[in-house]
Amino acid sequence: MNQGFIPTSEAVYRLIQEFNKLPSIGPKSAQRLTYYLLRAPEEQAKLLAEAILQLKQKTMLCSVCLNVADSDPCLICRRDDRDRSKICVVEQPQDILALEHTRIYNGLYHVLHGAISPTEGVGANDVRIRELMNRLQGGSVNEVILGTNPNLEGEQTAMYLQRLISPLGIRVTRLARGLPFGTELEYADDVTLTRAIEGRQEF
Ligand SMILES: [Zn+2]
């Protein structure tokens, strides 16, 4: 909070503090959002509050792909027009959103909920690799597309998975070729992502 800030309203102060905890929102933006809502119609503030609550109360993880969903299995896992022989492995649920937006990929997904990072103490058991290996046991999957981020952690995770999956006789491809190193999938534009999916290579 800015030095010299005198909270004349506890409610205003509290909301500024809550906004300030969010990523990429600094103290100035937190204040701007709070005063914006203060002036906005009560209905708008109510809708925002309800949306935040529902986010926590009405969502769950799909027990198959571990994506965030309103139902289990999720809509993607349930659809019978998806190609069940392909699984694209991503780090976070928001990566699925980015890939689905391109409309070029028609297979299934698997969310790791992180990436292996020895420097930060994140090992293979800290991400959802065991669940992925269980899914590969059935024999119906013939390609795993590694869609981890093209940065150090993503590459390490991809290499680890490649060593684990290749001996099963399943084709392993890497999505991120063509994506600039150091970027994150969720921020890649549609054209770059589409090229990355179409141009995926053996890994
Ligand atoms: Zn699912």
Side-chain angles (χ1 to χ4, degrees), residues 16 19 26-39:
I16 292 174
F19 275 132
K28 281 274 176 221
S29 300
Q31 288 178 29
R32 206 174 307 132
L33 288 169
T34 301
Y35 282 102
Y36 168 80
L37 284 170
L38 195 62
R39 286 189 305 267

Side-chain angles (χ1 to χ4, degrees), residues 93-102:
Q94 56 265 41
D95 299 332
I96 293 184
L97 218 60
L99 288 164
E100 282 297 287
H101 202 253
T102 67

Side-chain angles (χ1 to χ4, degrees), residues 91 148-152 154-155 174 176 179-185:
E91 292 180 25
T148 51
N149 288 325
N151 55 28
L152 193 62
E155 284 298 325
R174 179 81 171 109
L179 293 170
F181 190 83
T183 53
E184 289 180 18
L185 226 60

Side-chain angles (χ1 to χ4, degrees), residues 7-20:
T8 51
S9 157
E10 183 61 33
V12 168
Y13 182 65
R14 189 177 158 199
L15 189 56
I16 292 174
Q17 276 194 314
E18 290 306 319
F19 275 132
N20 206 4

Side-chain angles (χ1 to χ4, degrees), residues 3-149:
Q3 282 205 332
F5 179 84
I6 303 163
T8 51
S9 157
E10 183 61 33
V12 168
Y13 182 65
R14 189 177 158 199
L15 189 56
I16 292 174
Q17 276 194 314
E18 290 306 319
F19 275 132
N20 206 4
K21 290 177 190 167
L22 301 176
S24 75
I25 294 188
K28 281 274 176 221
S29 300
Q31 288 178 29
R32 206 174 307 132
L33 288 169
T34 301
Y35 282 102
Y36 168 80
L37 284 170
L38 195 62
R39 286 189 305 267
E42 190 168 341
E43 182 63 16
Q44 192 180 344
K46 228 180 184 166
L47 287 173
L48 175 66
E50 279 169 11
I52 293 171
L53 273 181
Q54 289 207 348
L55 185 70
K56 303 306 289 184
Q57 292 167 349
K58 298 236 168 118
T59 56
M60 58 189 84
L61 287 189
C62 170
S63 61
V64 181
C65 69
L66 306 174
N67 188 16
V68 176
D70 290 343
S71 62
D72 181 21
C74 74
L75 273 180
I76 295 176
C77 287
R78 270 213 314 255
R79 285 184 72 118
D80 47 20
D81 58 351
R82 304 287 303 210
D83 180 354
R84 294 180 178 273
S85 70
K86 290 180 178 57
I87 293 182
C88 180
V89 180
V90 295
E91 292 180 25
Q92 302 294 348
Q94 56 265 41
D95 299 332
I96 293 184
L97 218 60
L99 288 164
E100 282 297 287
H101 202 253
T102 67
R103 295 170 186 276
I104 194 98
Y105 178 68
N106 193 37
L108 302 178
Y109 293 96
H110 187 87
V111 186
L112 294 174
H113 292 275
I116 296 173
S117 172
T119 50
E120 283 176 42
V122 183
N125 290 330
D126 299 317
V127 294
R128 313 295 282 269
I129 290 177
R130 193 163 10 103
E131 288 88 342
L132 172 66
M133 299 313 288
N134 286 342
R135 289 180 73 184
L136 301 180
Q137 294 305 317
S140 57
V141 176
N142 58 36
E143 181 180 359
V144 171
I145 302 156
L146 301 173
T148 51
N149 288 325

